[in-house]
């Protein structure tokens, strides 16, 4: 089946810093999504982005489908950005990456 | 403030018992997803429904799991009989329109099977 790898596994930032999270996948996909799970377990769907670039406030995502990767950019990070970021891809079924755990320190 | 609700929030049961988890999607949302999260397997999509009809349940163990939408305001996930390996947090999410629209998640049901 398709492999989904996220990097880095862990990331610690100072508030105000920028970061880039990466999602690599091993095959062509129909769609790709980014999710955020906060430290209390609540999941939020950030982006549906099979290709191209989208922006939502301080977050933006870019997927280069031909090269099989997606990037999530967080600018001017805040402590509320802490948590785990997952990407998920879909061909015949949905596969999640293991996530990037982000800690933003005040 | 519209939100997805799930009940119960926590459930502890013994192996072999039937477990029913419920999800109330946001009013007007016509697509419901069920996910499972464990430390070992991470997040997995179990099934999803559109307009109450199952579209995909390939991620769900068929022998013991069943998912239904008896009406537009209720989705259920049943496990019978439950096993310790079913211990996980089960999330549902709902979407207003296309499957590619933003999913809104419930708080999850934490299931422990002893």
């Amino acid at each position: 089946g398709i492999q989904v790898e996220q990097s880095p596994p862990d990331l610690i930032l100072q508030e105000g810093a920028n970061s880039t999270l990466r999602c690599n996948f091993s095959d062509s996909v129909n769609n790709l999504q980014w999710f955020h799970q906060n430290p209390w377990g609540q999941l939020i769907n950030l982006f549906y982005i099979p290709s191209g670039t989208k922006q939502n406030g301080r977050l933006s995502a870019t997927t280069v489908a031909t090269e099989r990767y997606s990037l999530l950019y967080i600018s001017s990070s805040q402590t509320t950005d802490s948590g785990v970021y997952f990407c998920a891809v879909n061909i015949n079924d949905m596969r999640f990456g293991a996530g990037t755990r982000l800690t933003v320190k005040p | 403030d519209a939100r997805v609700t799930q009940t119960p929030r926590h459930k502890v049961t013994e192996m072999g018992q039937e477990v029913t988890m419920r999800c109330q999607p946001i009013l007007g949302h016509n697509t419901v997803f069920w996910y499972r999260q464990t430390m070992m397997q991470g997040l997995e999509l179990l099934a999803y429904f559109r307009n109450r009809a199952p579209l995909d349940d390939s991620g769900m163990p068929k022998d013991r799991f069943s998912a239904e939408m008896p009406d537009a305001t209720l989705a259920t996930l049943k496990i019978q009989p439950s096993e310790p390996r079913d211990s996980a947090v089960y999330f549902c999410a709902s979407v207003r329109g296309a499957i590619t629209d933003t999913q809104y998640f419930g708080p999850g049901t934490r299931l422990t099977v002893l």
Side-chain angles (χ1 to χ4, degrees):
Chain A
I2 189 169
Q3 303 299 311
V4 182
E5 295 184 356
Q6 292 188 242
S7 60
D10 293 279
L11 185 59
I12 300 175
L13 299 175
Q14 208 65 35
E15 199 168 28
N18 302 327
S19 62
T20 301
L21 283 58
R22 188 177 181 103
C23 173
N24 291 334
F25 41 96
S26 60
D27 204 346
S28 299
V29 296
N30 296 331
N31 70 58
L32 185 145
Q33 299 185 68
W34 283 96
F35 299 84
H36 174 225
Q37 187 169 36
N38 70 20
W40 297 271
Q42 180 66 43
L43 279 160
I44 297 171
N45 186 196
L46 298 175
F47 294 105
Y48 167 79
I49 184 164
S51 63
T53 297
K54 288 186 177 180
Q55 181 156 6
N56 184 0
R58 296 180 296 103
L59 272 60
S60 64
T62 295
T63 297
V64 184
T66 54
E67 297 188 19
R68 300 179 185 171
Y69 73 88
S70 183
L71 302 174
L72 179 69
Y73 304 97
I74 304 174
S75 64
S76 303
S77 59
Q78 300 176 359
T79 55
T80 52
D81 296 328
S82 295
V84 183
Y85 290 81
F86 296 99
C87 67
V89 301
N90 210 334
I91 311 178
N92 297 316
D93 58 354
M94 192 175 195
R95 295 291 176 92
F96 283 83
T100 292
R101 182 174 298 278
L102 174 65
T103 302
V104 181
K105 295 191 171 183
Chain B
D1 184 24
R3 59 183 66 187
V4 176
T5 59
Q6 290 187 247
T7 56
R9 293 292 311 277
H10 302 272
K11 175 73 175 179
V12 180
T13 191
E14 292 188 349
M15 184 173 61
Q17 296 298 305
E18 177 178 300
V19 175
T20 298
M21 290 169 274
R22 294 176 175 80
C23 169
Q24 182 171 2
I26 293 173
L27 191 63
H29 284 200
N30 61 0
T31 302
V32 173
F33 298 80
W34 282 105
Y35 295 91
R36 176 172 65 181
Q37 186 174 32
T38 63
M39 291 296 292
M40 293 299 293
Q41 302 295 328
L43 273 163
E44 304 170 278
L45 174 65
L46 296 176
Y48 65 97
F49 292 75
R50 185 173 178 83
N51 294 324
R52 299 174 55 196
L55 285 190
D56 185 356
D57 60 1
S58 59
M60 202 165 63
K62 301 293 192 303
D63 55 339
R64 299 181 298 107
F65 284 61
S66 63
E68 296 179 339
M69 277 199 76
D71 60 62
T73 63
L74 177 65
T76 62
L77 181 66
K78 292 185 180 182
I79 309 174
Q80 169 63 22
S82 58
E83 298 180 2
R85 59 179 169 154
D86 301 327
S87 297
V89 181
Y90 291 81
F91 292 97
C92 75
S94 70
V95 173
R96 182 178 183 84
I99 290 175
T100 55
D101 287 349
T102 300
Q103 297 181 36
Y104 294 87
F105 284 83
T109 293
R110 182 175 295 275
L111 173 66
T112 302
V113 183
L114 303 174

